[in-house]
Amino acid sequence: TVLDTAGFFFTRDGVYRTSEGYNQLTGWLDDIINISGHRLGTAEVEDVVNHHVAVAESAIISYPHEIKGEGKVLAFLPLKCLSRGYCTATLTAELGELISKIAKYAAPDYIQVTH
């Protein structure tokens, strides 16, 4: 994942513009992230995260890290219902615990809740 100069994340999705002007998603360009030399499949993490009662779906990416190459997981989460009482800190802790069952090094450093 690359954070460009405009502040956008490159999520490694393949896409092309159709002749009608629509963006056609073709799939992941690389569904493996490398965290401190450990290779981790994003689908595996997304599957665990999506089982949380407050999460509708997720997108897991890494972010650039000067020392490690790629940093820990960054999760984008649209919530099913904001009225369930989940604050970002609680959700981060619960998801970190779930993801840690896969691997301790995979626990997210950042979670971005979207609406």
Side-chain angles (χ1 to χ4, degrees), residues 7 9 19 21-22 24 30-31 39 46 49 59 64 68 72 80 85 100 109-110 114:
F9 284 102
S19 59
Y22 295 103
Q24 176 68 45
D30 182 7
D31 61 352
R39 295 177 55 77
E46 288 167 354
V49 169
K68 300 176 188 177
K72 291 186 180 180
K80 288 180 182 174
S100 291
D109 286 334
Y110 302 103
T114 60

Side-chain angles (χ1 to χ4, degrees), residues 64-115:
H65 191 280
E66 290 181 17
I67 298 170
K68 300 176 188 177
E70 287 181 296
K72 291 186 180 180
V73 175
L74 173 66
F76 294 94
L77 308 168
L79 299 183
K80 288 180 182 174
C81 180
L82 293 175
S83 65
R84 291 185 187 218
Y86 282 99
C87 67
T88 303
T90 301
L91 188 59
T92 300
E94 289 179 7
L95 292 175
E97 186 177 320
L98 285 173
I99 295 170
S100 291
K101 292 178 182 178
I102 297 172
K104 294 285 185 194
Y105 62 83
D109 286 334
Y110 302 103
I111 291 184
Q112 175 66 49
V113 177
T114 60
H115 306 282

